[in-house]
Amino acid sequence: MGDEDWEAEIIKPHMSSYVPVFEKDRYSSGANGDTYNRTPASSSEMDDGSSRRDHFMRSGFASGRSLGNRDPGESNKRENTSTMGGFGVGKSFGNRGFSNNKFEEGDSSGFWRESNNDCEDNQTRNRGFSKRGGNLCLFQVTNLTKLNGFQDGNDSEASVSSRRGGRGSFRGCRGRFGLGSPNSEYEQDEGTHRTGGFFGSRRSALSGAGNGDTYQSRSGSGSGRGGYKGLNEEVITGSGKNSWKSEAEGGESGDIQGPKVTYIPPPPPEDEDSIFAHYQTGINFDKYDTILVEVSGHEAPPAILTFEEANLCQTLNSNIAKAGYTKLTPVQKYSIPIILGGRDLMACAQTGSGKTAAFLLPILAHMMRDGITASRFKELQEPECIIVAPTRELINQIYLEARKFSFGTCVRAVVIYGGTQLGHSIRQIVQGCNILCATPGRLMDIIGKEKIGLRQVKYLVLDEADRMLDMGFGPEMKKLISCPGMPSKEQRQTLMFSATFPEEIQRLAGEFLKSNYLFVAVGQVGGACRDVQQTILQVGQYSKREKLVEILRNIGDERTMVFVETKKKADFIATFLCQEKISTTSIHGDREQREREQALGDFRCGKCPVLVATSVAARGLDIENVQHVINFDLPSTIDEYVHRIGRTGRCGNTGRAISFFDPESDSHLAQPLVKVLSDAQQDVPAWLEEIAFSTYVPGFSGSSRGNVFASVDTRKNYQGKSSLNTAGFSSSQAPNPVDDESWD
Ligand SMILES: Nc1ncnc2c1ncn2[C@@H]1O[C@H](COP(=O)(O)OP(=O)(O)OP(=O)(O)O)[C@@H](O)[C@H]1O
């Protein structure tokens, strides 16, 4: 079946004629026993053409979803499936004409099950929240009769809290079912779908905004696609194949079961105004100059103070001016001459301080100087530069920056990422590719398909490098540098950038970098941006929603990112906020790529001023005017906290971050939080200090990744030592308690 057929198939109205069969949910806690878990009536359900659709629909139905006011017996009748999805009774939250617009307790049972079942329940759990047939478009709930779901939701949250305590086992489960190895975590955005692939769709029905796009109905109906998406996208098979081979070997061509990923992202606007659109630097931009910078390593070239000193070609200078850059940020002052001098670099600078331009400008300058071959059509492209980043949205953003700075040159940048049609990625590449921006999974797939040759690679950039090297993406990165044709580290220039660089990760980075690499630390390594006013509130699980609404009502229409721990919870909270008449959208790893992009677009343009997100949106995203970040749930690690709050207070602008600290589940963060707050000269609540004191663990920072607070280049601290971790805890090898969600 061709792509178009598939799309047509998915949006056909007849899809909603699925007859779900429910059995009583063994986890049901409803007093009336009205929470049902659907199971296939028989295996023959999948036999004919409709069975596939049924399969889709099935995965869309929340196991443990409350049927609400539906008579359980009724659920055995054939009827419009659209009434079955959603949070609870399959109503639309987007004024889609469904009748029962209310938030039901099915969600709560979803949480409950999640908290109490590790592996076995993954399947139902995934279904439980993913495939709601209703679309939460802008979440305008019209027919809100009662919020019974909220009461139960409290239970849910309580159980989430308890689950956090038991993350180890939960993650273990993921490992087993996902990839059977630490790789289960890798490819944050992409690996998710693998798991989804095995356990049915987990796609959300949250739509970006109320624009009535058909994708919303696809979202609801094409649930099976979501389930298989990962297999097609970034691909790991249960057989333990290498991901980069698996897709190449059949993911997209259909050998690995499941429908194709057909999404082709819309091309970005081509007009110059759009290409150079930018936001203003903030009042604290000049304060960057006062931040201490430390460069370590031998024979570091001196910093430059102005763009002119960089001696860039005219076109680049013109592009810099059009981008509105008049002054270098500290990380640019130090990194640009280092990269221009041909040195390898590990650079750590606070969020929002211009790291992207710090690597793009000197790379482009070199390319211009060396006179690269103009891009032209070829079946095998050999880019000079490869840039990798952990999430699709981030790599797309980096691509747009590369396109901006290379405007008017013969350098062609291309972006490829999971969740989009592989053929589209290939078509982009074969047209010419000097700078390839890619997420790891898609990159390895394309290499496997022999569309990219690595012999010409002179620059390898790892953005969010600590993330790219940890146990999630690290194996993939190692594969990349050992791919046939990839120049050795002596032959290429390797550049790593992040706002956080745990010591252990620094050590791992040594494998990728020449031994004489330079280390630039702008301010405190792993420190939070000082332009973000941080507030920590002690809020128990049961009070979080109320507090959130109170804060959001005070905030008004100012753009706010709300971070939660899990994908399900993102849907749950987004729906809740919509019911509270707060225009909200959401982004997380279970949403289809088109939905993710739509959500981001709606948030960027202010259509939805609230974006509920998992940690998939924690790193790198540069969105104008994000004034607030709310950590509804704190992340598991302090470095993730630093990245999350860094979505505001960017480029000299000020921002606010409010975090709900639940002593039940967040005590392990008290100690590093106190450090981050005091380093950023923020008020530290006395109660937090007390918790930090009472949970003090000598030699352990509270991070799952060892000591986050490497104040300097760890080569200095640990010369001659085999282990970098003073606590004797090898964080990169240890299970990372970063939730099931953050990097899925
Ligand atoms: N010299 C400059 N002058 C003006 N604006 C700049 C300058 N450098 C970067 N910017 C702008 O600052 C914003 C943040 O830059 P960027 O996204 O590169 O930050 P970052 O350090 O990579 O952040 P993060 O750690 O969150 O990834 C972008 O909008 C970028 O265009």
Side-chain angles (χ1 to χ4, degrees):
M1 182 185 294
D3 295 344
E4 275 114 48
D5 295 332
W6 188 264
E7 291 290 308
E9 177 83 358
I10 282 178
I11 58 175
K12 273 179 195 165
H14 68 259
M15 287 199 58
S16 58
S17 62
Y18 166 68
V19 183
V21 178
F22 293 89
E23 72 173 11
K24 207 157 182 193
D25 187 337
R26 63 197 160 110
Y27 300 115
S28 167
S29 55
N32 300 326
D34 60 353
T35 303
Y36 286 80
N37 184 12
R38 57 167 320 298
T39 55
S42 72
S43 56
S44 64
E45 256 188 272
M46 297 294 288
D47 287 346
D48 58 20
S50 65
S51 63
R52 181 180 54 186
R53 295 194 295 272
D54 291 352
H55 174 61
F56 293 162
M57 302 314 296
R58 269 202 305 282
S59 56
F61 297 130
S63 56
R65 184 175 38 74
S66 166
L67 295 180
N69 53 4
R70 183 180 299 276
D71 174 352
E74 215 184 309
S75 62
N76 285 321
K77 296 175 195 161
R78 274 194 186 267
E79 56 192 317
N80 191 324
T81 52
S82 61
T83 62
M84 307 296 289
F87 288 91
V89 201
K91 44 282 154 215
S92 163
F93 287 89
N95 296 335
R96 306 222 150 244
F98 302 131
S99 55
N100 296 312
N101 284 331
K102 62 190 170 181
F103 199 110
E104 290 278 354
E105 63 190 297
D107 293 309
S108 91
S109 47
F111 280 128
W112 189 91
R113 283 196 314 282
E114 184 177 32
S115 68
N116 289 281
N117 293 277
D118 293 331
C119 312
E120 265 84 333
D121 199 39
N122 258 354
Q123 188 167 12
T124 49
R125 186 169 48 82
N126 291 339
R127 288 178 189 154
F129 273 79
S130 52
K131 216 54 340 189
R132 30 211 88 116
N135 289 299
L136 304 176
C137 165
L138 255 181
F139 305 99
Q140 291 160 350
V141 179
T142 50
N143 188 19
L144 184 64
T145 52
K146 57 173 183 167
L147 299 181
N148 54 351
F150 298 160
Q151 306 305 321
D152 298 316
N154 283 335
D155 298 338
S156 311
E157 290 182 8
S159 59
V160 166
S161 156
S162 65
R163 182 169 62 82
R164 294 181 104 189
R167 276 183 174 156
S169 60
F170 187 74
R171 284 174 44 81
C173 157
R174 274 173 60 84
R176 231 170 80 199
F177 283 86
L179 302 172
S181 77
N183 285 346
S184 59
E185 287 289 334
Y186 84 83
E187 296 193 355
Q188 155 186 355
D189 53 337
E190 295 148 0
T192 304
H193 302 291
R194 282 178 218 135
T195 312
F198 288 110
F199 295 105
S201 169
R202 303 187 300 169
R203 190 159 5 122
S204 156
L206 297 165
S207 66
N211 57 5
D213 283 349
T214 49
Y215 77 83
Q216 292 170 351
S217 58
R218 284 176 202 149
S219 169
S221 59
S223 52
R225 303 179 74 221
Y228 281 114
K229 190 165 76 170
L231 288 173
N232 286 326
E233 284 171 7
E234 316 301 351
V235 190
I236 282 275
T237 68
S239 62
K241 282 182 183 176
N242 291 337
S243 67
W244 66 279
K245 288 202 169 162
S246 50
E247 184 174 50
E249 285 172 2
E252 283 252 323
S253 56
D255 293 350
I256 297 174
Q257 48 315 72
K260 294 176 180 177
V261 174
T262 56
Y263 176 57
I264 296 177
E270 293 287 341
D271 63 289
E272 211 171 309
D273 283 351
S274 305
I275 290 174
F276 288 99
H278 61 272
Y279 62 82
Q280 295 303 310
T281 57
I283 50 166
N284 290 337
F285 190 76
D286 287 339
K287 285 196 196 160
Y288 281 157
D289 293 336
T290 62
I291 299 176
L292 285 178
V293 181
E294 189 173 333
V295 182
S296 45
H298 296 297
E299 294 165 30
I304 53 170
L305 297 179
T306 62
F307 280 113
E308 291 73 46
E309 281 182 63
N311 224 352
L312 306 172
C313 71
Q314 175 129 28
T315 318
L316 270 184
N317 279 328
S318 152
N319 290 342
I320 289 167
K322 284 189 218 163
Y325 291 19
T326 52
K327 206 177 153 186
L328 291 157
T329 65
V331 69
Q332 292 163 358
K333 285 178 186 168
Y334 286 82
S335 302
I336 290 175
I338 289 172
I339 300 171
L340 286 175
R343 301 289 295 273
D344 280 8
L345 172 66
M346 183 186 289
C348 188
Q350 70 182 56
T351 51
S353 64
K355 293 186 284 293
T356 316
F359 61 78
L360 281 176
L361 290 173
I363 289 173
L364 280 166
H366 268 180
M367 286 180 158
M368 302 299 289
R369 183 199 63 189
D370 297 345
I372 55 151
T373 324
S375 283
R376 60 192 171 83
F377 182 90
K378 252 194 305 178
E379 283 296 328
L380 176 76
Q381 291 288 333
E382 299 190 306
E384 287 82 3
C385 172
I386 292 181
I387 302 170
V388 286
T391 69
R392 301 162 183 181
E393 290 76 14
L394 176 56
I395 201 66
N396 204 27
Q397 185 180 294
I398 294 169
Y399 157 72
L400 292 174
E401 292 291 289
R403 189 182 70 140
K404 174 167 85 181
F405 290 122
S406 62
F407 184 77
T409 72
C410 61
V411 175
R412 183 176 142 86
V414 170
V415 65
I416 56 170
Y417 52 89
T420 61
Q421 191 193 66
L422 186 64
H424 173 71
S425 295
I426 292 171
R427 283 192 294 278
Q428 297 303 304
I429 286 171
V430 295
Q431 287 170 48
C433 179
N434 302 112
I435 298 180
L436 181 60
C437 308
T439 48
R442 183 52 56 99
L443 175 63
M444 300 313 282
D445 284 331
I446 292 284
I447 292 171
K449 284 200 172 295
E450 296 177 0
K451 296 297 169 193
I452 284 289
L454 300 170
R455 281 182 314 150
Q456 298 301 326
V457 172
K458 293 185 180 61
Y459 313 96
L460 174 62
V461 183
L462 275 61
D463 196 24
E464 307 298 340
D466 54 331
R467 177 61 198 155
M468 299 309 296
L469 292 175
D470 75 8
M471 67 179 188
F473 288 98
E476 207 75 342
M477 289 298 94
K478 281 192 182 174
K479 270 187 226 160
L480 174 64
I481 57 167
S482 39
C483 270
M486 174 61 105
S488 72
K489 63 183 178 185
E490 306 305 331
Q491 253 92 49
R492 60 168 199 263
Q493 209 175 338
T494 307
L495 310 169
M496 301 191 177
F497 284 79
S498 186
T500 51
F501 260 116
E503 290 179 357
E504 185 77 4
I505 298 292
Q506 286 193 38
R507 186 181 63 79
L508 292 173
E511 262 187 66
F512 293 72
L513 296 158
K514 295 184 194 94
S515 57
N516 69 345
Y517 74 86
L518 293 169
F519 183 91
V520 170
V522 182
Q524 182 84 20
V525 172
C529 172
R530 289 188 182 183
D531 298 328
V532 181
Q533 186 196 329
Q534 300 174 57
T535 307
I536 314 289
L537 300 177
Q538 196 172 160
V539 188
Q541 290 292 342
Y542 296 113
S543 315
K544 282 186 177 181
R545 281 195 302 243
E546 201 184 322
K547 193 76 196 165
L548 178 65
V549 170
E550 182 192 319
I551 293 170
L552 289 175
R553 290 214 196 288
N554 282 335
I555 283 173
D557 275 346
E558 292 180 350
R559 237 160 277 179
T560 305
M561 290 178 80
V562 178
F563 283 99
V564 298
E565 190 191 24
T566 65
K567 291 168 281 206
K568 294 178 179 70
K569 205 163 189 186
D571 287 349
F572 183 82
I573 296 302
T575 308
F576 163 68
L577 291 177
C578 286
Q579 288 181 323
E580 292 290 320
K581 306 270 190 293
I582 296 169
S583 293
T584 304
T585 187
S586 77
I587 187 165
H588 59 72
D590 272 356
R591 299 205 74 187
E592 287 227 3
Q593 190 53 30
R594 82 174 75 220
E595 293 171 324
R596 282 165 64 156
E597 290 177 16
Q598 175 86 47
L600 212 51
D602 290 339
F603 181 59
R604 273 187 204 277
C605 74
K607 192 171 178 180
C608 294
V610 178
L611 178 69
V612 180
T614 58
S615 284
V616 77
R619 285 177 178 251
L621 292 188
D622 183 50
I623 301 168
E624 184 174 7
N625 254 334
V626 176
Q627 280 123 319
H628 305 268
V629 167
I630 299 175
N631 281 310
F632 185 92
D633 297 316
L634 276 165
S636 303
T637 62
I638 195 67
D639 42 357
E640 212 57 26
Y641 170 83
V642 167
H643 286 279
R644 281 185 183 185
I645 68 168
R647 295 319 97 212
T648 184
R650 297 177 70 76
C651 205
N653 292 286
T654 55
R656 286 199 64 185
I658 300 174
S659 302
F660 296 169
F661 185 101
D662 178 3
E664 291 279 310
S665 52
D666 301 323
S667 297
H668 67 288
L669 274 182
Q671 203 181 319
L673 260 180
V674 167
K675 173 128 180 64
V676 162
L677 289 168
S678 38
D679 283 348
Q681 293 167 358
Q682 304 287 308
D683 289 341
V684 181
W687 59 263
L688 186 64
E689 279 183 322
E690 271 170 36
I691 296 175
F693 185 73
S694 65
T695 55
Y696 178 71
V697 181
F700 180 58
S701 69
S703 161
S704 63
R705 299 184 191 163
N707 185 8
V708 167
F709 304 109
S711 58
V712 288
D713 179 354
T714 50
R715 288 175 298 183
K716 286 187 187 173
N717 290 347
Y718 295 97
Q719 265 167 5
K721 294 188 184 175
S722 55
S723 166
L724 293 177
N725 196 304
T726 50
F729 170 69
S730 177
S731 59
S732 66
Q733 304 307 322
N736 182 349
V738 173
D739 56 275
D740 70 322
E741 166 58 3
S742 300
W743 299 104
D744 50 7

